[in-house]
Amino acid sequence: MGYIDIQNRIKAALSKLDRKKLIVFIGIAGMLLILLSELIPDSKKETGNQPSQQDDDPDSEIYKQQLEDELGTILSRIDGIGDVSIMITLDGTTEYVYAEELDTTTDSNDGKKRESYRSSIVITENGGDKKALIKKIIRPQVTGVLVACTGGDDIKIREQVIGAVSAVLGIPAGRVYVSKLSQE
């Protein structure tokens, strides 16, 4: 049974079928495949219970925690504020800019000048450990701050806290919310 024999049998079977029935059959089969693909769970799809991208970035979480701790320490020293609890929200993740080495090659053919560029990341070696040389670290932007403090119900204390947080983090006062800390 060769390839030509199989091909002839398929042609004979198709000639017996009505073309409209064949098109309907193929359409139904396609819809069933689409339906089955929706029912089978896809591991690449995100669910609502998965952590956000920011949660996957330990450097951003460490940075956020440091900001909250430092801000809490300094705010708790201001007269009238009392105990402090702080939450900071960040936009984005920590970004690293690596040092690059640029190689330039120039060729001259028939009076035409052609330049080519090639860049590579600078690698440093320390005791057998190779690492890319970091040129700059770009921290995520602070988008909002919630401060709950004992004196949060006093308008003067609120103004002091908003002013201090705005100045330290370089964000507008409208992105800082101050509330009274509950006594539990």
Side-chain angles (χ1 to χ4, degrees):
M1 190 173 197
Y3 174 74
I4 295 174
D5 187 40
I6 293 172
Q7 189 177 10
N8 289 335
R9 285 186 180 195
I10 292 173
K11 284 182 182 179
L14 288 177
S15 66
K16 291 179 185 176
L17 287 175
D18 185 16
R19 290 194 188 271
K20 289 181 182 177
K21 288 181 183 177
L22 181 64
I23 291 172
V24 169
F25 174 75
I26 292 172
I28 291 172
M31 286 189 283
L32 285 174
L33 286 173
I34 292 171
L35 179 66
L36 287 175
S37 71
E38 290 297 318
L39 295 177
I40 297 172
D42 187 7
S43 62
K44 294 180 184 175
K45 287 185 180 178
E46 289 188 25
T47 62
N49 296 336
Q50 288 183 338
S52 67
Q53 183 179 2
Q54 182 176 319
D55 293 339
D56 292 343
D57 182 14
D59 291 338
S60 292
E61 285 299 312
I62 291 168
Y63 174 66
K64 176 182 163 192
Q65 190 62 49
Q66 286 174 340
L67 284 177
E68 289 172 350
D69 291 344
E70 289 176 17
L71 197 56
T73 300
I74 197 68
L75 286 178
S76 65
R77 291 183 181 165
I78 297 175
D79 187 35
I81 292 180
D83 292 333
V84 177
S85 185
I86 297 175
M87 180 179 166
I88 294 178
T89 56
L90 302 175
D91 181 28
T93 58
T94 303
E95 183 179 335
Y96 297 95
V97 178
Y98 297 102
E100 292 184 75
E101 193 173 86
L102 184 64
D103 295 327
T104 305
T105 308
T106 305
D107 287 335
S108 295
N109 290 337
D110 301 329
K112 294 181 181 178
K113 190 175 181 182
R114 190 184 83 165
E115 291 184 351
S116 61
Y117 301 96
R118 189 181 78 118
S119 68
S120 57
I121 294 177
V122 177
I123 305 292
T124 60
E125 189 171 345
N126 186 10
D129 188 25
K130 294 181 179 181
K131 289 186 178 180
L133 181 62
I134 298 173
K135 182 178 177 181
K136 183 169 141 181
I137 298 174
I138 301 170
R139 298 290 184 190
Q141 296 294 312
V142 175
T143 56
V145 180
L146 168 65
V147 179
C149 59
T150 308
D153 57 344
D154 184 354
I155 213 146
K156 289 181 182 179
I157 298 297
R158 269 191 204 169
E159 286 180 19
Q160 283 183 318
V161 171
I162 291 171
V165 172
S166 295
V168 168
L169 298 177
I171 61 172
R175 294 188 181 232
V176 180
Y177 181 78
V178 180
S179 180
K180 180 179 170 97
L181 186 66
S182 68
Q183 302 296 323
E184 288 185 31

